[in-house]
């Protein structure tokens, strides 16, 4: 995802030429008749007059220093705007000429950093005011699987988690989310998801990304979590069959539990129009206190206060390669991840002062 200024000119230096010199004085021998001698002898003024003539010249140059200093102070600000404008023009030139890189998943890192994340960041910082904890548990390099709870009727929690990792991690790492196939069937959304680095939620794509040392995000609850009624908020649904654990075991990458508080209340789902959902091909059609009653205005999320906490990693590199085929081990690790997320959710809810503050 990319800003001139009038520089004041200092006219003080031209003022020295405008200083009026004093009128010529009569010499010591030009005393008028009748003038007292005492008055004639007290004439040290010519020497002082010469000093006064020199004073404006010697004091004008120091007076110009503050203006030069102020220009120097403003210069970095001007340079900053110039750099932004130059960077934006360079970005547009690369876009128009095709001089940018996209990986085999369709991920465009430059577009994601300069445009997509910049568009979501105001929602992240100003609207939901996301607080991030435990970012030090995310490794600085190498692959890792971040497993989070899913909620909110619309998948805004995944986007907020992506911005949280990028903006708070010391190395500004990118999170590659595994999304449902419905995301890649929608026009426009499909292209944006690919450009942002997201891919289909399947074991093959996840393993390829982890093998490259990428951070991969997954929300095992799927539509069961994001489409659950408001009465079941913060109660984790079943974590599928534990396929994410098998993927982590095969690659020997750590599993990082992630708990998100605040997303459940952005669209309080009080009903589900199942018939309309089937007609539209959606897994559910939400009914909230504002939607569809207020039309497009009802689609505006409530400004809840969010907290995202990354837990301690669960290591998998100590297991043998054949452990990925052990159903009992997969069940135990899946249950361990789920319980850790649920416990952290309860703890964050107890610490929360209000839904909106």
């Amino acid at each position: 995802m990319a800003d001139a200024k009038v520089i004041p000119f200092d006219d003080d230096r031209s003022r020295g030429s405008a200083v009026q010199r004093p009128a010529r004085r009569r010499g010591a021998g030009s005393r008028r008749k009748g003038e007292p001698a005492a008055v004639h002898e007290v004439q040290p003024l010519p020497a002082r007059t010469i000093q006064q003539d020199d004073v404006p010249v010697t004091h004008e140059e120091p007076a110009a220093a503050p203006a030069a200093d102020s220009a120097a102070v403003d210069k970095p600000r001007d340079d900053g705007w110039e750099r932004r404008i130059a960077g934006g023009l360079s970005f547009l030139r690369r876009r128009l000429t095709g001089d940018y890189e996209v990986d085999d998943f369709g991920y465009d890192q430059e577009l994601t950093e300069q445009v997509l994340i910049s568009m979501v960041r105001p929602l992240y910082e100003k609207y939901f005011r996301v607080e991030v904890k435990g970012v030090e548990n995310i490794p600085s390099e190498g692959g890792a699987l971040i497993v989070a709870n899913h909620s909110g009727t619309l998948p805004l929690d995944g986007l907020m988690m992506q911005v949280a990792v990028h903006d708070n991690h010391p190395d500004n790492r990118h999170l590659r989310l595994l999304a449902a196939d419905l995301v890649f069937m929608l026009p426009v959304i499909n292209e944006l998801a690919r450009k942002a680095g997201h891919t289909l939620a399947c074991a093959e794509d996840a393993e390829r990304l982890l093998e490259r040392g990428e951070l991969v995000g997954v929300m095992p609850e799927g539509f069961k979590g994001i489409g659950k009624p408001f009465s079941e908020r913060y109660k984790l649904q079943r974590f599928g069959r534990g396929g994410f654990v098998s993927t982590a075991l095969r690659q020997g990458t750590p599993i990082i539990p992630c708990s998100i508080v605040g997303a459940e209340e952005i669209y309080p789902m009080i009903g589900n129009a199942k018939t309309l959902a089937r007609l539209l091909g959606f897994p559910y059609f939400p009914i909230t206190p504002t939607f569809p009653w207020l039309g497009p205005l009802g689609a505006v999320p409530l400004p809840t206060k969010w907290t995202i906490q990354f837990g301690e990693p669960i290591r998998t590199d100590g297991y043998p390669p054949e452990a990925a085929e052990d159903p009992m081990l997969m069940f135990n690790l899946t249950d361990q991840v789920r319980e850790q997320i649920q416990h952290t959710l309860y703890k964050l809810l107890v610490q929360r002062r209000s839904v909106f503050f």
Side-chain angles (χ1 to χ4, degrees):
M1 352 136 141
D3 308 311
K5 184 175 189 178
V6 178
I7 302 177
F9 290 93
D10 188 8
D11 295 331
D12 290 345
R13 298 184 180 183
S14 63
R15 296 175 186 170
S17 60
V19 177
Q20 298 289 336
R21 291 185 176 271
R24 280 180 77 91
R25 293 181 173 83
R26 292 186 298 274
S30 60
R31 181 166 61 95
R32 294 177 182 176
K33 277 187 177 183
E35 185 177 2
V39 175
H40 171 71
E41 292 176 359
V42 182
Q43 293 291 338
L45 294 177
R48 296 177 60 186
T49 303
I50 295 173
Q51 292 178 2
Q52 290 176 358
D53 291 344
D54 294 337
V55 167
V57 178
T58 57
H59 282 74
E60 282 301 320
E61 291 184 359
D69 293 340
S70 62
V73 172
D74 291 339
K75 188 173 181 180
R77 202 184 311 173
D78 295 339
D79 292 345
W81 284 105
E82 291 175 1
R83 283 196 298 269
R84 289 186 181 183
I85 295 173
L89 293 176
S90 178
F91 172 78
L92 291 176
R93 183 175 64 251
R94 289 192 296 273
R95 293 285 118 185
L96 294 175
T97 59
D99 186 19
Y100 56 91
E101 296 182 358
V102 178
D103 68 6
D104 51 348
F105 288 94
Y107 174 48
D108 189 334
Q109 181 174 347
E110 184 183 45
L111 181 68
T112 300
E113 289 183 344
Q114 298 194 24
V115 179
L116 299 182
I117 289 183
S118 298
M119 292 172 60
V120 180
R121 188 174 286 119
L123 192 67
Y124 170 90
E125 293 180 345
K126 306 299 183 183
Y127 198 76
F128 294 137
R129 297 146 292 149
V130 181
E131 179 183 358
V132 179
K133 300 179 179 180
V135 72
E136 65 276 3
N137 292 317
I138 302 176
S140 298
E141 58 183 12
L145 187 66
I146 298 180
V147 182
N149 59 305
H150 206 15
S151 62
T153 305
L154 291 181
L156 297 180
D157 50 358
L159 298 178
M160 297 301 107
M161 185 169 63
Q162 185 179 18
V163 179
V165 172
H166 178 269
D167 287 4
N168 292 275
H169 195 277
D171 297 311
N172 301 118
R173 299 200 66 180
H174 286 275
L175 181 64
R176 311 288 293 269
L177 290 172
L178 303 179
D181 52 359
L182 177 62
V183 173
F184 303 101
M185 295 170 59
L186 300 174
V188 181
I189 301 297
N190 170 31
E191 292 296 327
L192 292 177
R194 289 290 184 185
K195 295 292 185 182
H198 311 328
T199 188
L200 193 64
C202 63
E204 292 78 9
D205 286 359
E207 289 184 13
R208 287 169 59 195
L209 289 172
L210 291 173
E211 190 175 1
R212 297 179 185 182
E214 299 281 359
L215 282 180
V216 179
V218 61
M219 296 174 167
E221 291 178 282
F223 290 122
K224 299 188 301 294
I226 195 174
K228 64 177 177 288
F230 187 67
S231 59
E232 298 181 11
R233 59 191 179 280
Y234 298 114
K235 295 179 181 178
L236 294 183
Q237 306 298 304
R238 190 172 65 89
F239 270 22
R241 301 177 181 177
F244 68 92
V245 172
S246 177
T247 301
L249 286 171
R250 288 192 181 94
Q251 297 299 320
T253 54
I255 300 173
I256 303 174
C258 177
S259 303
I260 304 175
V261 167
E264 295 274 14
E265 295 88 0
I266 60 173
Y267 296 110
M269 186 170 166
I270 59 176
N272 180 14
K274 296 182 180 180
T275 302
L276 186 57
R278 284 195 297 267
L279 291 175
L280 297 175
F282 294 159
Y284 56 89
F285 189 88
I287 297 176
T288 72
T290 58
F291 183 82
W293 325 115
L294 299 182
L297 187 61
V300 177
L302 296 178
T304 59
K305 176 72 171 63
W306 287 37
T307 301
I308 299 178
Q309 179 163 336
F310 300 96
E312 295 184 3
I314 299 174
R315 306 195 63 86
T316 62
D317 51 358
Y319 296 96
E322 59 272 14
E325 308 299 330
D326 186 350
M328 185 58 65
L329 178 61
M330 289 175 54
F331 174 81
N332 290 336
L333 287 177
T334 302
D335 192 58
Q336 180 182 351
V337 174
R338 185 180 181 277
E339 288 299 321
Q340 187 168 336
I341 295 175
Q342 185 71 80
H343 176 75
T344 304
L345 286 175
Y346 288 149
K347 184 175 66 174
L348 292 175
L349 288 172
V350 170
Q351 296 173 353
R352 184 170 67 168
R353 297 181 301 168
S354 168
V355 173
F356 301 101
F357 303 102

